[in-house]
Amino acid sequence: MPWQDIKLNDGREIPGISFGSSRHSGDTVSTVDEAIHAGFDSIDTAQIYRSETAVGQAIKQSGLSRNEIWITTKWSGLKTAKESIQDSLQALGVDYVDLYLIHFPAVTKGDIPGSWKHLEEFKKLGHAKSIGVSNFEISHLKELLSHAHIKPSVNQIPFHPDILAKQEALVQFLKDHNIAIEGYSPLAPLWNDDKKSPVLKVVKDIAGKRNVPEERVLLAWSRSKGVIPVTASSTKSRIESFIAAGDLDLTEEEVEAIDKAGYKSARNAEIRRKVVNGIKWVTAAGLVTYLAINRLST
């Protein structure tokens, strides 16, 4: 089935997949234009990406009316919140954005409630139709929710099978509070240099049996977990493949196989971390012993 819109807690509907403009080779205007023509109707940018002007230009030349495209941008802390939203609207060439996010908890400089008030004001003024956060952990969300008059509609977080174990509690918290989840870096397992990666092996097996590219399997997996993927590419065929992933429905068994591979990847990563730390400790202890012996012998 095609990518379905997701209803937010403020009553609005966000597209089920978004095209990111944070990093890719080539010209940003051309790449975003390619994404729009391939079928993306949600474009993600941010103050810190310095791609807002290019995104705005691509949207303008697409010929789409404003209500046909969903624009997400973020307050990245380069300027005050009020300066940032005005700069973003001007760079994008629009009167409002569909979703405005606090990019990182650090942007708030320790004042999450005060920072959130700015976004609530932007929503009231019509600068942003929906508001949310990005990279917020459970502790940050609890602090925000205890003071908020308007609940965040979205939390955008890293999400892919290799970090499923780490993100599972956060994902459940967000679902429990009816906060939509956007997941960036959904294709990260494909960049893994470890040829024995459990996730990569399972994804390759499913892709081979389904006769589809591996990226489609990972995007379909994100959707199966209730997460809206935010992805990007500068290659036309891959961009078109992302849209085609909306027609791929994984079975419960396939989703479970990827989940299990993700848990295994997390265990392997933890073992490697402990081994590396152990080697560092042994090396440091050996150096201290050598220096002590050397000092005694002089």
Side-chain angles (χ1 to χ4, degrees):
M1 61 180 178
W3 291 99
Q4 298 293 313
D5 290 351
I6 307 298
K7 192 166 187 177
L8 301 177
N9 58 30
D10 61 6
R12 303 183 71 237
E13 293 189 345
I14 184 173
I17 188 171
S18 183
F19 189 80
S21 62
S22 62
R23 62 173 183 272
H24 44 68
S25 58
D27 176 60
T28 301
V29 176
S30 298
T31 304
V32 173
D33 182 68
E34 196 78 66
I36 292 172
H37 280 86
F40 276 94
D41 55 0
S42 176
I43 307 297
D44 181 275
T45 183
Q47 180 186 35
I48 204 170
Y49 301 163
R50 302 192 184 282
S51 61
E52 290 173 320
T53 300
V55 167
Q57 186 177 337
I59 291 172
K60 184 177 180 180
Q61 70 185 34
S62 72
L64 294 176
S65 60
R66 179 64 189 86
N67 62 1
E68 291 180 292
I69 193 85
W70 180 284
I71 303 174
T72 297
T73 194
K74 311 174 190 79
W75 172 30
S76 303
L78 301 181
K79 293 183 179 181
T80 67
K82 291 182 180 180
E83 291 173 325
S84 295
I85 188 69
Q86 292 299 332
D87 283 356
S88 291
L89 292 175
Q90 182 176 359
L92 288 161
V94 296
D95 296 325
Y96 69 90
V97 291
D98 293 277
L99 178 61
Y100 196 63
L101 308 177
I102 297 177
H103 205 159
F104 309 96
V107 171
T108 70
K109 297 181 180 178
D111 183 14
I112 290 176
S115 298
W116 185 247
K117 282 182 180 178
H118 289 304
L119 269 70
E120 290 181 329
E121 183 66 17
F122 298 157
K123 181 174 173 65
K124 291 173 184 176
L125 291 171
H127 298 329
K129 299 294 185 180
S130 297
I131 53 176
V133 294
S134 179
N135 298 298
F136 271 47
E137 300 292 341
I138 292 175
S139 60
H140 306 125
L141 291 163
K142 284 182 175 179
E143 183 177 359
L144 189 157
L145 290 170
S146 67
H147 294 86
H149 292 97
I150 302 173
K151 182 187 288 190
S153 296
V154 171
N155 186 19
Q156 188 179 115
I157 60 173
F159 189 77
H160 53 81
D162 284 333
I163 58 173
L164 174 62
K166 175 181 179 295
Q167 297 292 58
E168 230 169 4
L170 174 57
V171 167
Q172 189 58 55
F173 181 91
L174 292 166
K175 288 181 178 180
D176 290 344
H177 288 80
N178 193 23
I179 299 172
I181 309 154
E182 285 192 313
Y184 64 85
S185 300
L187 307 183
L190 300 183
W191 314 330
N192 200 329
D193 292 330
D194 181 9
K195 301 305 178 185
K196 295 182 180 180
S197 161
V199 170
L200 204 53
K201 181 180 183 304
V202 172
V203 168
K204 283 179 178 292
D205 286 346
I206 295 172
K209 291 174 183 175
R210 294 294 200 110
N211 193 29
V212 296
E214 292 149 14
E215 64 262 17
R216 291 192 203 175
V217 175
L218 284 167
L219 293 175
W221 176 83
S222 286
R223 185 181 61 191
S224 77
K225 309 306 285 187
V227 176
I228 301 163
V230 180
T231 189
S233 176
S234 58
T235 306
K236 180 180 179 181
S237 60
R238 282 176 67 83
I239 292 172
E240 291 173 343
S241 182
F242 298 158
I243 292 297
D247 295 321
L248 177 63
D249 238 351
L250 299 180
T251 65
E252 290 183 11
E253 291 75 18
E254 289 170 332
V255 172
E256 186 177 350
I258 296 173
D259 288 356
K260 287 181 177 178
Y263 298 142
K264 186 174 182 180
S265 286
R267 289 195 297 272
N268 291 349
E270 180 61 16
I271 291 170
R272 286 194 296 271
R273 186 188 68 80
K274 289 181 177 179
V275 168
V276 170
N277 286 344
I279 292 172
K280 288 180 179 178
W281 185 89
V282 170
T283 302
L287 180 59
V288 169
T289 302
Y290 168 78
L291 292 173
I293 293 173
N294 190 54
R295 191 174 290 118
L296 289 173
S297 62
T298 58

